[in-house]
């Protein structure tokens, strides 16, 4: 890459850190020692490389392209790693890799969340494969930190490209992106001619499900503070199923159960989330190019006792593959962080259109089943509306599922069952009774533990 940044450097790293924290303290230099003298021409002997680094130091006041240390963001202590784009375009070299590794080691040793404030053009050309191999070093550190159950939060600033996007930002548990930032694997000078510029933006990555939230630059501190308070907050115990939000006697017939669950006036999952949590932050996207399911809400929330829990809620529509993959991602994140999970079931079933099949309904449902089955943290489920077949069961906790009186759970919708059995439409209600899908039937069959009462 060239010696001068090709995009605006934005806020210098130390100024950014000073604005985000009240007490930033830089980590001691001995924690990021790397070979080589300050002014040599690097492992390739690249002519003028040492002089270029010297100019970068004079221009920015930094000895490398990242600054690391600790500080409190709105009361939550964290390890912070900030890229200095003014230093050779925030590029990753061997010394950069040493500092990133030191940040991860410090986060694991002190059990503090790691915040990476990324702004980089990618790997440093003047160090060749020695620079590129730092991505493996960073990936290993991300994996070790993940395995240790220490939260990682990344902010993609302008610009975040190349290995900085692929290995540093995208590997975090939660990814925020500054509105208007250039965010992409391909830098501006190596993209195919005629490529859609929107695909290389924070907004484009958000739309494709690779970023959890877009944040205006002026609101970054408050956004980080909210997320860190949840990520670093004490985990709750196994959640009790929330009480029903409306009093109702169990339905008399199967079809009455179906009609109640499909009623537009009954309480929805959002109302239950509001009743359970005092504050919430949502993750978004499946990291596989999907953010097309507005019928699933996943995130972390603060419980009334001050502890943190995770939630995955179906919002009443047919669930699409991206929704299942996002829910699976949420459950796995909660499992790593030791957070209990609440799932709210309300769907007529998995989406069955051709686009959903091409997007992988089967594998996505399988991933959700696996995430719940493999979870070491307690998972609690409340069916708040329709429990439509395997598309609903994928989010249900074995042995820890409850229903509200206005719900049903069935192997198949009664209309579909009648069609499969070649019955005429007049026998749908009879079929609903035969399916034994009422809440009390589901409990009697051993598929749920009970029906919840109002508070």
């Amino acid at each position: 890459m060239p010696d001068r940044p090709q995009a605006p450097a934005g806020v210098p790293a130390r100024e950014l850190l000073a604005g985000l924290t009240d007490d930033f303290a830089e980590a001691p230099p001995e924690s990021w020692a790397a070979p080589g003298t300050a002014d040599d021409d690097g492992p390739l002997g690249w002519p003028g490389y040492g002089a270029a680094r010297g100019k970068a130091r004079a221009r920015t006041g930094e000895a490398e392209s990242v600054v690391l240390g600790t500080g409190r963001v709105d009361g939550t202590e964290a390890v912070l790693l900030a890229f200095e784009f003014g230093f050779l375009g925030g590029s990753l070299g061997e010394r950069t890799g040493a500092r990133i590794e030191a940040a991860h080691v410090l986060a694991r040793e002190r059990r503090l969340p790691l915040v990476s404030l990324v702004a980089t053009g990618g790997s440093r050309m003047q160090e060749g494969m020695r620079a590129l191999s730092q991505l493996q070093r960073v990936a290993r550190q991300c994996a070790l930190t993940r395995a240790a159950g220490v939260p990682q939060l990344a902010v993609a600033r302008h610009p975040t490209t190349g290995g900085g996007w692929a290995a540093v930002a995208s590997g975090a548990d939660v990814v925020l992106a500054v509105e208007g930032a250039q965010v992409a694997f391909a830098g501006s000078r190596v993209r195919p001619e005629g490529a859609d510029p929107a695909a290389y933006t924070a907004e484009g990555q958000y739309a494709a499900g690779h970023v959890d939230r877009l944040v205006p630059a002026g609101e970054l501190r408050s956004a980080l503070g909210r997320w860190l308070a949840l990520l670093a907050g004490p985990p709750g115990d196994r959640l009790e199923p929330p009480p029903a939000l409306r009093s109702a006697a169990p339905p008399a017939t199967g079809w009455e159960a179906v009609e109640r669950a499909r009623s537009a006036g009954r309480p929805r999952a959002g109302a239950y989330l509001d009743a359970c949590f005092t504050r919430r932050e949502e993750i978004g996207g499946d990291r596989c190019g999907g953010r097309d399911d507005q019928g699933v809400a996943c995130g972390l929330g603060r419980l009334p006792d001050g502890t943190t829990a995770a939630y995955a809620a179906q919002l009443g529509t047919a669930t699409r593959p991206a929704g299942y993959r996002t829910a699976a991602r949420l459950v796995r994140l909660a499992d790593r962080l030791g957070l209990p999970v609440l799932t709210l079931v309300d769907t007529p079933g998995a989406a069955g259109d051709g686009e959903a099949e091409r997007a992988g309904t089967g594998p996505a449902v399988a991933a959700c089943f696996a995430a719940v089955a493999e979870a070491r943290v307690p998972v609690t489920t409340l069916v708040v509306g329709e429990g439509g077949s395997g598309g609903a069961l994928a989010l249900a906790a074995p042995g820890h599922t409850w229903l509200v009186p206005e719900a049903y759970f069935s192997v198949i919708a009664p209309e579909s069952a009648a069609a499969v059995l070649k019955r005429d439409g007049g026998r749908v209600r009879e079929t609903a009774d035969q399916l034994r899908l009422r809440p009390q039937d589901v409990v009697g069959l051993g598929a749920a533990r009970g029906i919840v009462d109002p508070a």
Side-chain angles (χ1 to χ4, degrees):
M1 64 170 294
D3 294 337
R4 292 185 301 167
Q6 298 299 298
V11 179
R14 289 184 190 274
E15 183 179 334
L16 176 67
L17 291 166
L20 295 177
T21 71
D22 296 321
D23 56 351
F24 178 74
E26 188 172 8
E30 57 267 21
S31 65
W32 62 67
T37 61
D39 297 309
D40 65 26
D41 286 334
L44 304 185
W46 192 282
Y49 176 44
R53 289 208 311 276
K55 291 178 182 178
R57 284 198 303 276
R59 184 168 55 246
T60 64
E62 303 298 342
E64 248 306 330
S65 59
V66 292
V67 178
L68 72 102
T70 58
R72 293 185 181 276
V73 181
D74 285 352
T76 302
E77 189 176 11
V79 173
L80 297 108
L81 176 77
F83 280 69
E84 175 54 72
F85 191 78
F87 191 102
L88 300 182
S91 55
L92 282 80
E94 190 168 14
R95 293 180 180 87
T96 319
R99 293 190 179 203
I100 296 174
E101 180 176 54
H104 279 272
V105 171
L106 181 61
R108 294 196 297 270
E109 288 178 347
R110 298 188 56 180
R111 305 295 301 176
L112 295 176
L114 173 62
V115 178
S116 298
L117 304 159
V118 187
T120 173
S123 298
R124 196 168 296 170
M125 181 182 67
Q126 299 93 330
E127 293 186 22
M129 284 301 297
R130 191 75 67 84
L132 188 64
S133 66
Q134 298 309 304
L135 303 184
Q136 295 173 317
R137 184 180 194 177
V138 170
R140 172 167 171 74
Q141 291 303 314
C142 286
L144 291 173
T145 302
R146 191 178 302 118
V150 173
Q152 300 175 65
L153 190 155
V155 179
R157 299 154 56 214
H158 178 71
T160 297
T161 61
W165 169 235
V168 183
S170 294
D173 297 316
V174 175
V175 180
L176 310 181
V178 175
E179 290 181 350
Q182 178 187 155
V183 180
F185 184 69
S188 59
R189 295 192 174 186
V190 296
R191 294 169 190 164
E193 186 176 352
D196 178 10
Y200 303 89
T201 63
E203 288 74 9
Q205 299 292 350
Y206 175 78
H210 305 308
V211 167
D212 289 297
R213 283 287 169 264
L214 296 173
V215 182
E219 299 176 14
L220 185 54
R221 176 169 177 152
S222 60
L224 283 177
R226 294 192 304 271
W227 272 107
L228 288 173
L230 292 172
L231 288 167
D237 298 320
R238 175 181 289 279
L239 301 177
E240 293 297 321
L245 294 180
R246 193 161 67 181
S247 178
T253 67
W255 187 245
E256 181 186 348
V258 173
E259 288 186 314
R260 283 190 188 185
R262 293 176 180 174
S263 170
R266 68 165 171 81
R268 301 281 163 163
Y272 282 93
L273 292 176
D274 289 341
C276 287
F277 299 104
T278 59
R279 58 184 296 184
R280 306 196 305 272
E281 294 292 331
E282 286 195 10
I283 68 168
D286 63 0
R287 298 295 189 267
C288 299
R291 188 188 288 275
D292 61 348
D293 195 345
Q294 301 302 308
V296 174
C298 299
L300 306 182
R302 175 66 52 82
L303 297 167
D305 63 2
T307 60
T308 299
Y311 63 87
Q314 292 169 315
L315 306 181
T317 59
T319 305
R320 306 195 66 79
Y324 289 114
R325 285 192 287 260
T326 303
R329 180 185 151 221
L330 180 281
V331 173
R332 292 190 177 106
L333 170 60
D335 198 45
R336 290 197 301 273
L337 301 183
L339 302 175
V341 180
L342 172 68
T343 65
L344 300 178
V345 169
D346 185 8
T347 180
D353 56 273
E355 181 181 351
E357 290 294 345
R358 286 188 292 271
T361 296
V365 171
C368 206
F369 270 118
V372 173
E374 293 166 359
R376 296 161 296 179
V377 294
V379 181
T380 301
T381 298
L382 181 64
V383 185
V384 300
E386 291 193 80
S389 193
L393 191 66
L395 267 71
H400 293 281
T401 293
W402 282 259
L403 301 94
V404 301
E406 298 167 299
Y408 79 83
F409 217 148
S410 178
V411 64
I412 190 172
E415 297 91 341
S416 299
V420 170
L421 297 172
K422 299 182 180 180
R423 295 177 173 180
D424 61 60
R427 300 185 64 188
V428 170
R429 296 189 178 203
E430 173 192 343
T431 304
D433 285 334
Q434 291 177 315
L435 287 170
R436 296 187 64 186
L437 48 71
R438 299 175 304 168
Q440 60 267 42
D441 295 327
V442 178
V443 174
L445 291 168
R449 295 186 65 171
I451 303 171
V452 297
D453 296 318

